[in-house]
Amino acid sequence: MTITNIRIGIYLCDCDGKVSKNVDLSKVKTAIQSQAEFEYIREADVVCGTAEQEKVAAEIDKYSLNRLLIVGCNDPFITRKFVQLAEEKGINRYSVEFLDLSAVNSVEAAVSAINSRLGKLHLREQIGYEELAVTPDVLVIGSGSEAAAVAKAISKNQPVVRIDHETKKVVGVDGFPGNFTVRLLENGKTSKHSFGAIVLALGAQPQYDAAKYGGVNLDERTLSLSQFINADKNYAGKKISFVLGKADADSLLSFAAVLKSSLDLKGKGASEVDVIYDDMKVCADGLEQEYELARKKGVNFLKYDGEFQINSASDGATFQYREPFLPIEATRVAADYLVLAEDFVPVAATQELAEILDIRTGPGGWFQKDNVHFLPIKSNRAYILFVGSCHGPIHGTDLYNEIEAVVAEVSAFAKGKAQVPSLQPRVEAKKCAVCLTCYRCCPHHAIEIVHGDEYDNMYNSAARMNPLACQRCGICAGECPGKAIQLPLYSDQEVLFEVKQPAKIVAYACENSGFLASEFAKTLDPQLQKALQIVEVPCSGKIDVIYLLKALENGADGVMLLVCHKENCKYVWGNNRAEQRKERAQALLNQVGLGDRIEFVHVAANQGNQFNAAVKEMAEKIRQSGTNPGKVVK
Amino acid sequence: MIVAEGKPVEKILEMVAPFKKVLIAGCRGCVTVCLTGGEKEVGILASQIRMARSKDGNPIEILEQTEERQCDAEYNAKFLENVEQVDAIVSLACGIGIQYLGEKYPATPIFPGVNTLMLGANIDVGKWEERCMACGDCVLDKTGGICPITRCSKSLLNGPCGGSQYGKCEVSTPAKEDIPCGWQLIYDRLSALGQLDKMKEIIPSKNWLRAKGPRTYVREDLTLDRS
């Protein structure tokens, strides 16, 4: 949907003198007035002030403005305020653009930046909102206490079905968030059910590893911690010694379980309770208090260091070790029962469900890749969520926080409908060859192939992106061999418009890393920015080969791709796709002798200095290989 | 699907060297699906050639157009306006499309922008495997649904040669990925189907005339009398 009657209002804000210090705003205004298409323009001192806001509101009405360009700063506080104002006046947030001029120091540069942004505003399609019917029901998978807790919490808002994935198993999932069709297998029969969201709360599995205890096998007197807890025997009058620290060194689950069991044993009349540990871990809510309480109740805490020896007999077991603080060769603790902490490993269903749901596992086989961009509860698929120890053992407050986050997330479907901005990519059916490339490359399972007379191609079919599943990375658009896919706000037209008259160096920057680093870098070395043009993309996976070539064809001397670190793409593999495309584009340049002009840089949001170093390196590279001879003079 | 690969650009540059204005014609059929000749690749090749020619001080103007299929005259008619403006055409369609578009515009030289490779399946993004050689006399019924003409390097009809080892074909080279022995595949499939006795059936020599071109195919029941 394109608005034919685009009426843009431009506000040139001095930001309390910050802009006019470098650039004469009235000259900028005159220049814009003489060449650009817009409805209204004026200067302001502090356009975010209350009085100014009222004035802007009145002007929106007076001049029937439907798009705004705020030139000045892009402080998040100000942008939020403006977006709110715009939406109150019926202007969609996607029709408001902000341009930061604080680092610009010439009228020409300011005018060129404004024109570029104005051009984009003209090209931008109007973004609407879609209201989708969704199923409020949530499927919780898991049999343990974590699954029970999250199911109970969700059930306060909406219906929950909990399955254990043993007697009732998930064997397939189709569809999209809000309307997943889950095939369940029970007693040899499969049935289909509709769920809005899926929550995985499989927990973790304790596993005794004899190697960690010098090859000691479990027997009647030497038990694993889970054997001890599950047996739930009466130990009145007995002496129990727990050994911590050899296994499960990375989590607090064993420490919490041992403290709780020690207190229970004391309460139920055990004669003596020892906790033998190397490092006591109590860094979670409540554990420190339990530790203090256990000490008060007379639990013995004994520290060991290094080597130890366990001997088990029919009437008890001993633990012989070196006490680190006393000048004694060896200390021997004899107990009726010796209880050894175990490691935690993913339950068997973890891998199976990862395959069925096409969600990822990371180190140790736990759910989710190690990736700084992923929130703890999120998988690579929208509304398929993790809670608890199935993505690595967690405990206490961490668990409750996750439950709360999951409840909030799935509550979006509680009323049976969901409103979403229509920001998913558009497919021009005429150009869609239904080749499945986008479908295969989407890391979020957000794409389906739909059929019908309305799809104007020889297949009467086209790819379609689901607005709830799509995470708007634009990888699909970057892959499409037919150029049938356009991502709103970042259409090829909009992106290529920015590089029509490019700077010496064009840097396509991922908004999750490179772009933020560039903002930081500006403050560190403003001089360096002169020859540099940043083109923001939602993910480096959106950077098409043609974007790289067009920047050079239009006259840039070098192109950079500023992407997230390896294994740290918010959209799973966007940065890998970008690297493959960079390799291809560079090969295309080499084939025609244009030299080494493309730089691929992994950078994190906080690496402003690395960013500048990379820009300097690029500038040096260009200096050596000379001006781009491939520039096409129009 | 027909699978093609892009031709080395130096070859294409040689072809268009005498010309100042060229149309690059893409196809939305097989070559879009195999990521070689759709609108995207048309744009990439055009940009690459424009830069190469600028560098050599011999600028070229390039028009870009992609239509449904270059193996149908009606779609090829859509190129008319652009063809009229240019000195030559580079087609990114398969060999069929290149020739057929050329037939439509006999006065304009046409050049291949791709090498047409095979009839293959798209195994995954960026991977294709040959499955059919269009021999004109299908024997898949006898071979468990696996084509010995295509999958056996020697197109043998009655079991493997002596070069089948550990399921691999002797033609496999370190430079290429290992080629599975076609007859091993057939044996495994027939075995899974419980039809190993089919291996005993002698498939007679093939009539290779049906595989030799130029072939035509006419269905009298469908041909249209346009008189």
Side-chain angles (χ1 to χ4, degrees):
Chain A
M1 174 175 38
T2 34
I3 285 196
T4 44
N5 183 20
I6 294 172
R7 300 172 69 92
I8 301 179
I10 309 173
Y11 290 87
L12 302 172
C13 178
D14 194 8
C15 211
D16 205 15
K18 265 187 233 144
V19 179
S20 60
K21 174 172 82 178
N22 303 321
V23 186
D24 183 340
L25 270 181
S26 61
K27 279 193 185 154
V28 172
K29 185 180 157 191
T30 317
I32 298 287
Q33 271 172 325
S34 71
Q35 42 176 275
E37 272 182 57
F38 59 91
E39 189 58 32
Y40 177 68
I41 186 167
R42 80 170 165 86
E43 292 172 62
D45 286 337
V46 187
V47 80
C48 54
T50 311
E52 276 284 359
Q53 293 268 295
E54 282 168 18
K55 212 168 146 194
V56 173
E59 284 159 346
I60 291 173
D61 290 337
K62 187 170 169 196
Y63 300 100
S64 309
L65 304 178
N66 53 25
R67 291 183 187 199
L68 298 178
L69 174 60
I70 315 297
V71 182
C73 72
N74 58 2
D75 181 293
F77 173 73
I78 313 294
T79 55
R80 259 203 306 279
K81 214 170 157 182
F82 254 101
V83 162
Q84 200 182 347
L85 168 76
E87 296 216 317
E88 277 167 19
K89 301 305 291 178
I91 301 177
N92 193 304
R93 70 175 61 206
Y94 306 104
S95 299
V96 187
E97 277 281 316
F98 299 88
L99 179 63
D100 182 5
L101 279 192
S102 56
V104 171
N105 45 18
S106 77
V107 172
E108 297 75 48
V111 171
S112 137
I114 292 170
N115 275 334
S116 165
R117 216 43 84 88
L118 264 181
K120 279 188 83 178
L121 258 186
H122 274 287
L123 291 168
R124 176 157 304 166
E125 77 165 300
Q126 181 73 14
I127 305 295
Y129 287 86
E130 284 180 58
E131 191 168 278
L132 304 166
V134 292
T135 313
D137 306 45
V138 177
L139 176 66
V140 174
I141 308 173
S143 54
S145 60
E146 293 176 344
V150 73
K152 191 177 166 202
I154 295 170
S155 68
K156 287 175 189 154
N157 299 326
Q158 60 211 95
V160 178
V161 172
R162 180 155 75 96
I163 61 165
D164 54 9
H165 198 65
E166 281 160 27
T167 55
K168 210 177 202 182
K169 279 172 93 81
V170 175
V171 288
V173 175
D174 290 317
F176 296 102
N179 289 297
F180 287 119
T181 302
V182 180
R183 272 179 293 128
L184 295 176
L185 176 69
E186 189 179 22
N187 297 326
K189 278 188 195 156
T190 53
S191 53
K192 281 185 181 179
H193 305 266
S194 191
F195 294 101
I198 300 170
V199 178
L200 293 148
L202 302 174
Q205 169 102 40
Q207 190 179 63
Y208 177 72
D209 180 3
K212 298 220 163 130
Y213 293 97
V216 168
N217 290 319
L218 300 174
D219 57 29
E220 255 183 51
R221 294 292 177 160
T222 303
L223 311 171
S224 75
L225 182 55
S226 62
Q227 279 178 336
F228 170 82
I229 291 169
N230 294 337
D232 195 21
K233 280 198 341 203
N234 179 8
Y235 292 104
K238 303 287 185 200
K239 179 178 176 186
I240 316 293
S241 297
F242 294 96
V243 180
L244 278 171
K246 276 290 144 191
D248 186 33
D250 298 329
S251 87
L252 293 166
L253 284 184
S254 305
F255 290 84
V258 163
L259 287 174
K260 185 172 178 296
S261 299
S262 312
L263 285 165
D264 277 358
L265 286 168
K266 275 291 178 190
K268 287 178 183 163
S271 68
E272 209 172 332
V273 181
D274 299 331
V275 176
I276 311 169
Y277 65 98
D278 61 348
D279 289 308
M280 197 65 211
K281 288 183 184 164
V282 289
C283 55
D285 269 12
L287 282 193
E288 177 98 42
Q289 286 95 312
E290 288 203 350
Y291 169 71
E292 292 295 337
L293 190 62
R295 288 191 72 132
K296 258 187 212 150
K297 298 264 180 195
V299 174
N300 306 316
F301 284 87
L302 309 168
K303 189 171 169 71
Y304 68 90
D305 188 13
E307 297 294 302
F308 59 85
Q309 207 181 346
I310 293 170
N311 282 309
S312 203
S314 56
D315 57 346
T318 62
F319 186 85
Q320 187 170 312
Y321 66 100
R322 206 183 71 80
E323 215 292 336
F325 302 114
L326 298 175
I328 312 172
E329 268 302 293
T331 308
R332 199 167 70 107
V333 172
D336 292 316
Y337 295 93
L338 202 56
V339 181
L340 309 177
E342 297 147 294
D343 287 311
F344 284 90
V345 296
V347 303
T350 307
Q351 197 49 44
E352 186 183 298
L353 280 164
E355 278 161 32
I356 291 170
L357 301 172
D358 194 21
I359 49 179
R360 270 138 240 288
T361 53
W366 303 102
F367 278 134
Q368 206 184 52
K369 285 267 182 218
D370 270 356
N371 183 329
V372 71
H373 288 297
F374 291 171
L375 292 172
I377 61 162
K378 298 249 174 140
S379 75
N380 52 301
R381 298 185 67 177
Y383 294 94
I384 296 183
L385 306 166
F386 307 124
V387 99
S389 299
C390 62
H391 61 86
I394 66 163
H395 164 77
T397 325
D398 288 342
L399 175 65
Y400 301 125
N401 288 342
E402 285 195 6
I403 290 175
E404 218 171 284
V406 165
V407 167
E409 186 83 7
V410 300
S411 71
F413 295 157
K415 294 204 167 75
K417 56 190 180 191
Q419 207 194 34
V420 280
S422 188
L423 285 167
Q424 76 280 12
R426 315 290 194 251
V427 178
E428 190 182 340
K430 193 174 160 2
K431 293 183 172 184
C432 177
V434 211
C435 67
L436 297 170
T437 307
C438 59
Y439 177 90
R440 290 171 179 154
C441 290
C442 175
H444 309 117
H445 273 261
I447 301 178
E448 62 187 326
I449 303 297
V450 287
H451 314 282
D453 289 343
E454 65 271 37
Y455 302 109
D456 175 26
N457 58 28
M458 59 177 142
Y459 310 100
N460 283 133
S461 308
R464 182 167 72 190
M465 288 68 187
N466 181 283
L468 281 166
C470 175
Q471 302 187 19
R472 297 161 197 106
C473 57
I475 291 175
C476 56
E479 303 287 348
C480 178
K483 286 265 145 244
I485 305 175
Q486 297 298 337
L487 178 68
L489 313 185
Y490 297 96
S491 67
D492 289 337
Q493 249 195 326
E494 284 166 275
V495 174
L496 292 175
F497 182 85
E498 290 199 58
V499 297
K500 259 192 165 162
Q501 287 172 312
K504 272 192 177 326
I505 300 174
V506 170
Y508 291 101
C510 167
E511 69 179 13
N512 300 297
S513 56
F515 180 73
L516 300 169
S518 78
E519 292 282 295
F520 179 29
K522 265 189 216 169
T523 63
L524 298 171
D525 190 348
Q527 253 338 79
L528 193 61
Q529 312 301 318
K530 279 190 176 167
L532 179 69
Q533 181 187 358
I534 306 288
V535 179
E536 190 182 358
V537 287
C539 167
S540 57
K542 175 73 176 73
I543 306 169
D544 205 318
V545 172
I546 196 74
Y547 292 1
L548 305 171
L549 299 185
K550 275 287 174 193
L552 295 166
E553 188 186 325
N554 293 342
D557 288 332
V559 192
M560 302 175 76
L561 297 88
L562 297 158
V563 315
C564 295
H565 281 288
K566 273 202 179 296
E567 309 271 308
N568 266 301
C569 175
K570 187 174 175 186
Y571 306 113
V572 184
W573 53 50
N575 55 353
N576 297 343
R577 299 308 279 170
E579 188 163 15
Q580 287 169 293
R581 295 193 201 135
K582 179 260 168 180
E583 293 299 329
R584 166 132 197 251
Q586 186 56 62
L588 294 170
L589 297 187
N590 293 344
Q591 286 161 13
V592 296
L594 289 174
D596 199 357
R597 298 193 177 270
I598 311 180
E599 193 72 16
F600 185 85
V601 188
H602 290 291
V603 71
N606 62 347
Q607 294 183 308
N609 281 315
Q610 272 94 329
F611 177 95
N612 282 339
V615 174
K616 280 180 194 150
E617 212 168 290
M618 181 86 226
E620 178 55 25
K621 196 184 251 189
I622 291 170
R623 208 183 56 77
Q624 281 177 11
S625 40
T627 320
N628 169 19
K631 178 180 177 172
V632 176
V633 183
K634 296 257 161 70
Chain B
M1 172 191 47
I2 296 170
V3 181
E5 61 170 5
K7 244 191 186 330
V9 73
E10 58 266 30
K11 291 260 161 66
I12 301 174
L13 284 169
E14 266 171 45
M15 298 172 204
V16 300
F19 305 109
K20 287 282 183 195
K21 192 167 180 182
V22 166
L23 166 68
I24 299 186
C27 173
R28 289 207 185 101
C30 305
V31 289
T32 293
V33 178
C34 75
L35 317 179
T36 302
E39 188 171 322
K40 181 192 185 105
E41 294 302 318
V42 168
I44 289 172
L45 180 64
S47 183
Q48 192 189 18
I49 294 178
R50 274 192 287 259
M51 285 195 275
R53 290 280 292 260
S54 273
K55 173 182 153 269
D56 297 341
N58 179 20
I60 185 169
E61 193 180 337
I62 298 182
L63 305 181
E64 304 171 25
Q65 189 179 351
T66 302
E67 295 298 339
E68 260 73 8
R69 282 192 296 264
Q70 290 182 26
C71 52
D72 280 301
E74 290 83 347
Y75 293 126
N76 284 344
K78 293 186 178 184
F79 289 101
L80 177 68
E81 272 182 35
N82 279 336
V83 172
E84 281 176 345
Q85 293 181 49
V86 297
D87 313 323
I89 308 168
V90 174
S91 166
L92 296 192
C94 67
I96 307 164
I98 301 166
Q99 295 180 58
Y100 207 50
L101 181 64
E103 284 169 41
K104 179 89 189 164
Y105 304 106
T108 311
I110 190 161
F111 303 109
V114 307
N115 292 320
T116 305
L117 295 176
M118 59 180 156
L119 304 179
N122 191 181
I123 307 306
D124 198 352
V125 185
K127 282 185 187 165
W128 297 269
E129 281 181 11
E130 187 169 24
R131 285 290 185 271
C132 178
M133 287 169 74
C135 73
D137 184 15
C138 192
V139 294
L140 287 172
D141 58 319
K142 299 182 174 65
T143 55
I146 291 166
C147 174
I149 310 296
T150 316
R151 309 292 294 276
C152 165
S153 301
K154 297 175 178 168
S155 296
L156 294 180
L157 285 170
N158 292 289
C161 67
S164 174
Q165 281 233 335
Y166 310 109
K168 301 289 182 214
C169 171
E170 66 178 343
V171 172
S172 310
T173 61
K176 266 167 132 182
E177 264 185 57
D178 276 354
I179 302 169
C181 166
W183 275 99
Q184 179 75 49
L185 296 175
I186 293 167
Y187 175 87
D188 291 343
R189 176 74 66 81
L190 288 174
S191 165
L193 291 168
Q195 296 177 356
L196 271 182
D197 52 314
K198 285 203 172 178
M199 294 283 288
K200 291 181 188 156
E201 190 188 329
I202 303 293
I203 304 177
S205 302
K206 237 175 131 58
N207 178 5
W208 286 102
L209 267 180
R210 288 189 62 82
K212 278 287 292 170
R215 290 177 275 184
T216 52
Y217 171 51
V218 177
R219 265 183 72 179
E220 298 293 352
D221 60 326
L222 295 174
T223 51
L224 186 63
D225 183 0
R226 290 186 183 276
S227 60

